[in-house]
Amino acid sequence: MNSSDFPLVWMNLTQEPGHDHQKDFEEFEANLQRGEPFVLLTDTVPAEDHEHSPEDKKRTALWMKKNKVELRRLVLAMILVEPNSAKRLGFKAFAVIFAKFWGYPMLLAASRDQAIEMARELLQTDRKSSP
């Protein structure tokens, strides 16, 4: 997770062996604790054969339960950059499941520039609608 350009937070979703998921949760929580809306962006997707261990699934579910309100209030969207239009179309069905699970939408962009533009529009709209 790279928060150096907050409120645009870039994530790398590829998992290296021995990846420290706890560090990911801590970085995510640090962004939530800022109390300001932000947008997650990524131009990486997990490998198709990527499987979470039962321990990872349980830890994620508990973490999400604990942070549910903040996730829904502060994360405006996850924007996935996918240049291939057929693959973007394939992600649309997954985006519905993703939104139900995480509590915020997954949007698709054809390029990093488009993703950044979409993120800025979401942030601008959110500022206008906030009291």
Side-chain angles (χ1 to χ4, degrees):
M1 192 170 276
N2 179 347
S3 305
S4 62
D5 198 17
F6 190 90
L8 305 182
V9 178
W10 286 90
M11 294 178 70
N12 182 338
L13 301 179
T14 56
Q15 301 292 314
E16 305 296 322
H19 181 81
D20 183 1
H21 293 286
Q22 188 57 40
K23 185 174 182 245
D24 294 336
F25 287 122
E26 289 168 4
E27 289 180 34
F28 208 149
E29 275 184 48
N31 283 321
L32 292 173
Q33 288 169 0
R34 292 177 187 230
E36 297 175 40
F38 61 99
V39 178
L40 298 170
L41 302 104
T42 187
D43 55 6
T44 60
V45 294
E48 287 184 28
D49 63 350
H50 176 73
E51 228 0 91
H52 291 284
S53 71
E55 296 83 24
D56 285 344
K57 288 178 182 176
K58 183 177 180 181
R59 179 173 39 198
T60 300
L62 290 171
W63 185 86
M64 286 177 54
K65 189 174 182 180
K66 176 182 153 199
N67 294 286
K68 183 178 184 175
V69 172
E70 288 83 9
L71 286 167
R72 291 174 188 265
R73 186 171 64 89
L74 298 174
V75 183
L76 301 182
M78 158 74 85
I79 302 176
L80 173 67
V81 177
E82 176 49 69
N84 182 306
S85 60
K87 287 184 180 177
R88 275 198 315 276
L89 190 61
F91 277 116
K92 284 191 185 260
F94 175 71
V96 173
I97 297 163
F98 178 95
K100 286 181 182 173
F101 184 78
W102 286 98
Y104 51 86
M106 172 187 270
L107 307 176
L108 302 162
S111 67
R112 283 179 72 97
D113 287 343
Q114 183 186 21
I116 291 168
E117 185 178 317
M118 290 168 66
R120 292 205 167 115
E121 286 175 19
L122 285 168
L123 290 160
Q124 182 106 16
T125 302
D126 183 70
R127 272 190 216 105
K128 288 179 183 171
S129 64
S130 296

